[in-house]
Amino acid sequence: MTDQEHNDQVDTEAQSAPETEQPAEQAPNDAEALSAQVETLANALASAKEQTLRAQADAQNSRRRAEQDIEKAHKFGQEKLVADLLPVVDNLERALSSIDRESEANKPIIEGIELTLKSFTDSLARHQVVALNPAGEPFDPQLHQAMTMVDNPDVEPNTVIDVFQKGYTLHGRLVRPAMVVVAKG
């Protein structure tokens, strides 16, 4: 080995020696830095987990809302059609009430209208359309439309005493209020 190589080797060892002593001096600083970094990463992980949970909950809520909207669309999508068909029921009922039931010539007509009305109302009932005929019940402004108020001492105040036109609900939602006469107090 030449002197130059020997000097280089000694320089290398000299440089190595302080480095081995230096980590021992920096060990507490490195441990603090590492623990701070671990704490920062732990906080970031907790924040990421919380954001993930919130995102999952938000997605689940959106899915549930969409399912409810679809269910309502299926239930109440036919509301306009039902509202358009209700005058047909009213007209069949009016025809039955205005026809002379004593005449033998009208018996087949009455029977035909009654069967048509029954078929129609059964079809509506299969689709959860329910008639409201509130005669004798207390007046409910959410289900009834008061056409007039009449003094009637035989009945309690705010009681429906006559029904001009039946009301109807579709799956519990009001399609048309019942038009009624209410007793005054």
Side-chain angles (χ1 to χ4, degrees):
M1 190 186 262
T2 65
D3 285 337
Q4 181 62 31
E5 290 176 350
H6 179 67
N7 286 342
D8 288 342
Q9 186 178 10
V10 169
D11 286 342
T12 306
E13 288 175 5
Q15 288 174 356
S16 300
E19 286 179 14
T20 55
E21 290 175 13
Q22 194 172 17
E25 292 172 3
Q26 290 181 351
N29 291 339
D30 286 346
E32 289 175 13
L34 287 176
S35 68
Q37 189 176 14
V38 166
E39 185 176 329
T40 303
L41 291 173
N43 290 340
L45 177 64
S47 175
K49 282 183 179 179
E50 182 179 338
Q51 288 176 351
T52 302
L53 287 174
R54 287 177 188 256
Q56 287 174 343
D58 190 36
Q60 186 177 10
N61 289 339
S62 295
R63 189 177 318 114
R64 186 172 50 245
R65 258 185 260 115
E67 288 172 358
Q68 289 172 348
D69 289 346
I70 290 170
E71 182 181 333
K72 285 181 182 178
H74 285 291
K75 274 185 173 181
F76 303 115
Q78 50 193 322
E79 187 172 3
K80 186 170 174 65
L81 175 66
V82 168
D84 289 344
L85 294 175
L86 294 178
V88 176
V89 174
D90 295 336
N91 290 335
L92 289 171
E93 289 174 344
R94 277 190 213 105
L96 282 174
S97 66
S98 67
I99 198 164
D100 180 18
R101 292 185 172 267
E102 301 300 320
S103 172
E104 284 296 318
N106 291 340
K107 296 280 185 199
I109 296 170
I110 292 171
E111 185 178 329
I113 294 173
E114 285 176 342
L115 288 174
T116 303
L117 179 61
K118 182 177 179 349
S119 173
F120 206 109
T121 56
D122 289 347
S123 295
L124 290 174
R126 276 194 303 277
H127 293 283
Q128 304 301 316
V129 178
V130 178
L132 301 174
N133 192 359
E137 296 177 5
F139 176 73
D140 182 354
Q142 294 180 352
L143 300 174
H144 312 138
Q145 181 178 354
M147 301 309 291
T148 186
M149 294 186 80
V150 177
D151 286 325
N152 190 338
D154 299 336
V155 182
E156 285 196 34
N158 290 328
T159 300
V160 175
I161 54 176
D162 192 18
V163 179
F164 286 138
Q165 188 178 54
K166 291 181 189 176
Y168 288 89
T169 61
L170 172 65
H171 292 281
R173 181 190 282 182
L174 187 67
V175 176
R176 183 179 80 185
M179 291 195 264
V180 298
V181 176
V182 181
K184 266 190 200 177

